[in-house]
Amino acid sequence: PSTRLEEAQKAISVSEEKVEQEFQRTANSWLACFGSRVFVIETLLYGKKAEDELGSEKYHDLQEKMEALKQRLFDLNQQYPDKSTVPPEDMKRELFRLLNELI
C-alpha cells in the first residue's frame, strides 16, 4: 500500500491533465477545476496519518503552503469567476508551481 505522501505526489503529477479534462467536460471555471484538484490533494495531506508520515515540522510547513495556495486561488477567483474568464498561462503555471511545491 502506498503512503498518503505518495498518493498526494501522484495526484499532483496528473493535476494539469485532470484540470483540463474537468474544464472541458463541465461548466466549471478553470479555477474551480483547479480547486477540485487542490481539494483532492488537501484531503490526502490532512490529518494524523499525513502528519505521522511527514513529521510535525514538515506537516506544519505543508499546511502553511496549502493555506497560501488556497488564498491565491481565492484571490484569482475574484478576477476570473466563470468559465469564460480563463486565467492567462503564466497564472496557471504559477498555480501548478505552488501545487508542486507543497511536498
Side-chain angles (χ1 to χ4, degrees):
S2 57
T3 66
R4 291 285 186 119
L5 189 58
E6 290 169 339
E7 289 178 37
Q9 288 170 325
K10 188 175 185 178
I12 289 170
S13 73
V14 298
S15 287
E16 288 186 47
E17 178 183 336
K18 294 292 187 183
V19 168
E20 292 304 325
Q21 286 174 351
E22 181 180 342
F23 184 64
Q24 295 304 318
R25 75 172 191 278
T26 69
N28 297 341
S29 71
W30 190 92
L31 290 169
C33 297
F34 183 84
S36 295
R37 295 307 300 165
V38 171
F39 177 77
V40 168
I41 293 158
E42 182 177 32
T43 301
L44 290 167
L45 294 174
Y46 182 77
K48 183 75 173 130
K49 190 172 182 179
E51 185 175 4
D52 289 346
E53 288 178 21
L54 290 166
S56 291
E57 190 175 322
K58 284 185 179 180
Y59 182 77
H60 179 72
D61 290 346
L62 170 87
Q63 296 307 314
E64 286 182 356
K65 289 178 186 177
M66 181 62 77
E67 288 307 313
L69 172 60
K70 291 188 322 187
Q71 182 61 51
R72 182 68 175 134
L73 182 58
F74 175 81
D75 293 343
L76 287 173
N77 225 355
Q78 307 309 301
Q79 290 178 268
Y80 306 98
D82 54 45
K83 188 155 179 108
S84 65
T85 56
V86 178
E89 289 301 313
D90 62 327
M91 286 185 185
K92 290 180 182 181
R93 281 192 304 275
E94 174 195 353
L95 290 170
F96 285 120
R97 180 184 53 77
L98 292 171
L99 194 61
N100 279 298
E101 290 176 355
L102 288 174
I103 48 179

